[in-house]
Amino acid sequence: MKRPHPRLYKHILAIGCYGTAACFVSQGNLLADVSPDNSQIDLSDSHYTAPDFSHLAPVELQVFENGKWKAYDTRATEHGLEILVDTSGASLIYAWEGMEELQFQRKLEASTSQIVYSDNLDERIKQLKNDAELLLPFAGIPEKSAGGIHAVILSYLTALNERGEADRAYKVTQGTDLGRLPEPIALEAYNTVELLFSDDQAAEGEKLLIQLFNARPAEEFATNALDLAQRLAAERHFKVALGIYEPLLQIVPVDQRKAVALRTAYLALETGDFGKYKQLRTVASQAEGQSDETNAASWILDGIYAFKQDTEDRRQVLSPIGRALALLPSDSEWKEIALYYNYKAYQLEEAFETAKGILEELKLVYSKSAYTKDLTS
């Protein structure tokens, strides 16, 4: 995923979002006049509670001390790591903050260590399962101190995501303290959100997304959530994409606001909220950042709105969409949306040959697109 856009980062700092992503929705609301409804995910009225690891059995970790590694039974707690130093129950507590000078590792079998970086996803899942799941409570150890612990967890979660193992990937995320995860593992958790929605597990996807919103740094969430929302919208998961776009519209850089407002308006159309759509079009019309693409997007929205109003005059659909297609660059994310509605309008006009040609273009250029699949399924 992309690194945070530097201008976005500056803007977040300017509105006082120094902590988790949840802080930005408590700032000034650009969409104060947009009516709330149940079509969006409520990111604002919640907080993140880390798992309670106290009931779990201790795990043997190695600690580097006096020039050598020594094995100790270790337990993750709310406050840090509890090292059981002898059989009588005596222990030392190392706070999460301030253990950077220490070194921890999990002693692995040679075959397990080798599989961490293997391209064989099935073998990674099979061989890393036991160690990775034991190590989940320890994912919050600072990167400088974690030895190979993070690599095992990241390799396992990535393999689960890439194999489409949504249930298991979700359980991995729920077995960690999301607020303390190193960035690479956290970024993989955003991929788990997308996988859950693709696997029709919307409740789990929404829960993990809200957890990330409340647990993760604002700049990380803003950048990766926008990237995630774009992918979810492309997969036609309109409700959840709208739920992400709306709060992000409050903090995107000024020169991106028009484009994001138009995309949010499109998602409102697809969820059937025409009142919100009109309000978002007003936000877009007042925002800076006009370009050929935003002009074309506005025309596409005009056409889609007419289509969804069941207008009998198909020219109100075809004319603005046709103008947009003439202006859009070939790689625009709006183009397949325009072609999709162009096809549907010509179908209603019973111009079947023209519609067939549009569908063939979609199948050629966007063969794996959710829009193409919707028309051909």
Side-chain angles (χ1 to χ4, degrees):
M1 291 190 180
K2 300 177 291 184
R3 298 289 298 178
H5 190 295
R7 293 186 60 185
L8 177 59
Y9 178 69
K10 291 178 183 177
H11 191 77
I12 292 168
L13 295 184
I15 64 172
C17 283
Y18 300 98
T20 62
C23 68
F24 66 67
V25 296
S26 66
Q27 310 299 323
N29 189 351
L30 180 68
L31 301 179
D33 296 326
V34 177
S35 302
D37 59 34
N38 294 323
S39 69
Q40 71 178 87
I41 300 171
D42 184 2
L43 294 173
S44 58
D45 188 21
S46 58
H47 67 279
Y48 176 67
T49 302
D52 178 7
F53 302 126
S54 62
H55 65 286
L56 299 177
V59 174
E60 185 177 278
L61 296 184
Q62 292 185 319
V63 183
F64 192 72
E65 59 182 16
N66 299 323
K68 61 182 181 180
W69 291 100
K70 187 172 181 180
Y72 291 101
D73 284 342
T74 308
R75 181 183 286 115
T77 73
E78 177 184 356
H79 304 291
L81 296 185
E82 181 183 10
I83 310 296
L84 306 179
V85 295
D86 60 38
T87 56
S88 70
S91 63
L92 296 173
I93 299 290
Y94 292 102
W96 292 116
E97 292 80 12
M99 64 173 69
E100 287 81 2
E101 300 304 316
L102 300 170
Q103 291 291 319
F104 300 89
Q105 69 176 16
R106 166 79 170 169
K107 187 175 182 180
L108 303 173
E109 297 291 337
S111 59
T112 304
S113 298
Q114 292 170 3
I115 205 69
V116 168
Y117 301 103
S118 169
D119 292 330
N120 189 325
L121 299 178
D122 293 327
E123 281 301 308
R124 272 165 54 187
I125 292 171
K126 179 181 177 181
Q127 294 196 39
L128 295 179
K129 178 182 184 300
N130 290 340
D131 284 299
E133 293 181 1
L134 282 174
L135 290 172
L136 294 180
F138 305 98
I141 296 175
E143 287 191 82
K144 290 182 179 179
S145 303
I149 292 172
H150 292 164
V152 171
I153 297 171
L154 178 60
S155 180
Y156 183 58
L157 179 57
T158 302
L160 291 173
N161 280 335
E162 293 185 6
R163 261 286 173 252
E165 296 277 0
D167 287 332
R168 296 171 69 180
Y170 175 71
K171 288 176 182 176
V172 168
T173 68
Q174 299 308 292
T176 68
D177 181 345
L178 294 171
R180 297 190 183 279
L181 287 183
E183 187 179 27
I185 300 177
L187 297 188
E188 198 59 41
Y190 292 96
N191 291 335
T192 303
V193 175
E194 181 180 10
L195 175 61
L196 287 164
F197 282 104
S198 298
D199 199 49
D200 295 323
Q201 298 190 51
E204 290 81 2
E206 289 189 15
K207 179 180 176 180
L208 179 53
L209 180 66
I210 292 170
Q211 288 175 328
L212 290 167
F213 174 79
N214 285 286
R216 300 303 301 171
E219 65 275 16
E220 176 200 286
F221 182 87
T223 298
N224 291 286
L226 183 57
D227 191 36
L228 172 63
Q230 290 169 340
R231 300 199 306 272
L232 289 170
E235 291 297 318
R236 297 176 57 82
H237 296 297
F238 299 126
K239 176 186 172 183
V240 65
L242 176 61
I244 301 171
Y245 264 101
E246 281 198 73
L248 291 180
L249 183 54
Q250 299 177 44
I251 62 164
V252 292
V254 171
D255 62 350
Q256 295 180 26
R257 189 164 293 156
K258 183 183 290 288
V260 174
L262 289 168
R263 172 58 77 167
T264 311
Y266 165 67
L267 295 170
L269 263 185
E270 290 288 16
T271 57
D273 192 333
F274 300 128
K276 181 175 288 185
Y277 162 74
K278 291 177 180 178
Q279 292 168 318
L280 286 161
R281 287 297 302 269
T282 299
V283 172
S285 68
Q286 296 170 352
E288 299 179 22
Q290 185 170 350
S291 65
D292 284 348
E293 187 161 29
T294 61
N295 288 337
S298 297
W299 296 334
I300 292 168
L301 292 177
D302 291 340
I304 296 173
Y305 180 73
F307 180 88
K308 289 185 176 291
Q309 294 296 308
D310 296 323
T311 178
E312 293 183 3
D313 184 0
R314 303 287 181 230
R315 289 174 298 179
Q316 294 183 38
V317 180
L318 295 169
S319 178
I321 290 179
R323 279 195 296 160
L325 284 168
L327 188 62
L328 283 172
S330 59
D331 61 347
S332 171
E333 61 184 7
W334 286 97
K335 187 168 184 180
E336 65 175 317
I337 299 171
L339 290 170
Y340 175 86
Y341 278 100
N342 220 19
Y343 169 85
K344 298 191 83 166
Y346 276 115
Q347 281 285 95
L348 290 177
E349 281 285 274
E350 298 185 357
F352 299 122
E353 286 302 314
T354 302
K356 181 181 178 182
I358 296 169
L359 183 57
E360 290 303 314
E361 181 177 356
L362 279 164
K363 289 162 69 174
L364 178 65
V365 181
Y366 306 102
S367 60
K368 297 182 179 179
S369 162
Y371 289 87
T372 304
K373 290 178 182 176
D374 185 67
L375 296 177
T376 56
S377 60

